[in-house]
Amino acid sequence: MDAAFTAEQDEIRRTLRELLAARGAPDDVRSAAAPPDGYDTALWRRLSRDLGLPGLALPKEYGGGGHGTAELAVVLEEAGRALLPSPLLATAVLAAPLILALGTGEQRAALLPSIAAGELTAALAVPGGSLSTALGLTGDPTGGAWAGGGRAGGVQARPAGGDGGWRLYGEAPQVLDGHSAGLLLVAAHTGGFPRSRTLLFLVRTDGPEPPAGLVRTRQASLDETRPLARIQLRDTEAELLGADDAVDATAALAAAGRTAAVALAAEAAGAATSVLEQAAAQLEARESSGRATGSLQSVELRLADLYVRVQSARSAAHYAVLEPDSGGLALAQALEVLRITTAEAVQLHGGGGLAREPEAQLYFKRAASDELLLGPVHRLRDHAAQRAGLFGRESHGGRAAGQVAV
């Protein structure tokens, strides 16, 4: 399917595309991602002030735009087209929905208006490189085994005393935008073995001095536009997200994961669309110059096949807006299509000069890094199939229920 966008959604798309086009070509992202924050802070302020992107899906009472997943997907698709380095994904897609879902009235009032205004960025810190499992994309987050605990590593939390505070100890090795975020949402294990559970904690890092015991180290990442950081917590003071330790953090993470999958599927589809358009434009330029050959005609067929794949991925992402439970499958399809399209673009550059290799390689790195962070594709599909019950249940005879012997 191809969604029919509203006039407002089309206006958001047009305005954002024009603004990002004025910023420069995608091959400028290396310099854009070079500053300490990992993104162009002036551009982020403009995106926040003029378009309200950080608060697009937040309620108006907190200074947000009051929009939904559809508008968020439109924005992420355009960001993917331009390989935009920004804290939008970490802040608006991953962190803000968790604060809105679990935070107390005081926490929401203190944090969400600053996030909506672009003044405060946030990052979700999950132990052990298990972000996709924590979000319910490649595994069941219930129980929080992915967060470690006890002797299993991860991050542990313990009450600090009678004042309601908490202390955190442990590390999260791959935190998206974790080196620059002004607020960390840390998933930690607490309660000991009998009452073991996973909760989310707030660690403010935007003060004049970093919290005691917090060490943040930016890591070398495959994709320069997706900066990652190692977060180490050594008896660091934290605040519980929510009114008490009875909140269901894993359910909130799974709900945020469904929205994130839709947004990321749209972003990957947007990136694949951009790569395909670049290759097609250069093929057209060569044909108009009279240099079309049999080899270029074969390239046309390959691009036609890619066009079908990319449009199918876009349709799946748009459908997931209406059916968020299909977000995992849409994300798997979009990541696979982005990988295939960028690989073809790099190959076509070597064979026929039909793609600008520096740009194509940047998009290829985005495809690979996203799959490492959120996939792999086969696990996304396997978990979606398990949730849908496509494989049935194991029978006593070792054959899935409903399976017919041949």
Side-chain angles (χ1 to χ4, degrees), residues 122-399:
L124 175 61
V126 174
S130 55
L131 178 62
S132 59
T133 303
L135 295 174
L137 300 177
T138 57
D140 184 4
T142 305
W146 45 268
R151 297 178 182 273
V155 179
Q156 288 81 49
R158 61 177 177 82
D163 60 353
W166 292 77
R167 315 291 293 190
L168 304 181
Y169 190 92
E171 73 171 43
Q174 293 182 320
V175 180
L176 184 63
D177 288 322
H179 67 291
S180 62
L183 173 69
L184 297 176
L185 272 69
V186 183
H189 229 59
T190 187
F193 181 76
R195 297 182 60 246
S196 177
R197 60 202 180 281
T198 299
L199 299 171
L200 290 172
F201 297 87
L202 303 171
V203 178
R204 294 294 296 258
T205 62
D206 57 345
E209 295 293 334
L214 174 66
V215 178
R216 302 194 287 176
T217 307
R218 184 170 178 177
Q219 306 285 82
S221 57
L222 178 63
D223 179 6
E224 297 97 329
T225 69
R226 286 272 202 252
L228 300 172
R230 178 184 296 275
I231 305 298
Q232 295 173 301
L233 303 139
R234 299 165 181 168
D235 203 30
T236 303
E237 185 178 358
E239 176 186 352
L240 176 67
L241 179 61
D244 54 51
D245 59 5
V247 298
D248 192 350
T250 56
L253 281 164
R258 287 191 289 272
T259 301
V262 177
L264 285 162
E267 185 190 60
T273 301
S274 181
V275 174
L276 180 60
E277 288 176 351
Q278 293 169 31
Q282 292 173 61
L283 174 63
E284 183 178 358
R286 293 200 64 180
E287 287 181 329
S288 62
S289 67
R291 291 181 293 165
T293 64
S295 62
L296 287 180
Q297 290 168 5
S298 68
V299 169
E300 287 181 333
L301 295 177
R302 293 164 69 181
L303 293 181
D305 177 66
L306 291 177
Y307 175 81
V308 173
R309 290 176 180 266
V310 170
Q311 290 302 311
S312 177
R314 288 192 71 231
S315 295
H318 296 322
Y319 176 76
V321 170
L322 305 176
E323 295 290 343
D325 285 342
S326 68
L329 285 176
L331 177 58
Q333 183 175 356
L335 290 178
E336 183 177 60
V337 167
L338 178 57
R339 170 167 38 87
I340 292 171
T341 304
T342 52
E344 283 278 0
V346 172
Q347 184 178 10
L348 290 173
H349 170 84
L354 294 180
R356 288 174 287 184
E357 187 178 21
E359 285 189 18
Q361 292 216 10
L362 287 173
Y363 284 97
F364 183 81
K365 289 179 179 180
R366 167 62 64 86
S369 66
D370 275 4
E371 194 165 349
L372 287 172
L373 188 65
L374 301 160
V377 163
H378 72 271
R379 288 189 59 198
L380 288 166
R381 286 183 172 140
D382 177 72
H383 183 61
Q386 295 287 354
R387 287 183 58 205
L390 295 183
F391 300 142
R393 295 183 178 179
E394 189 74 7
S395 68
H396 293 294
R399 183 180 296 122

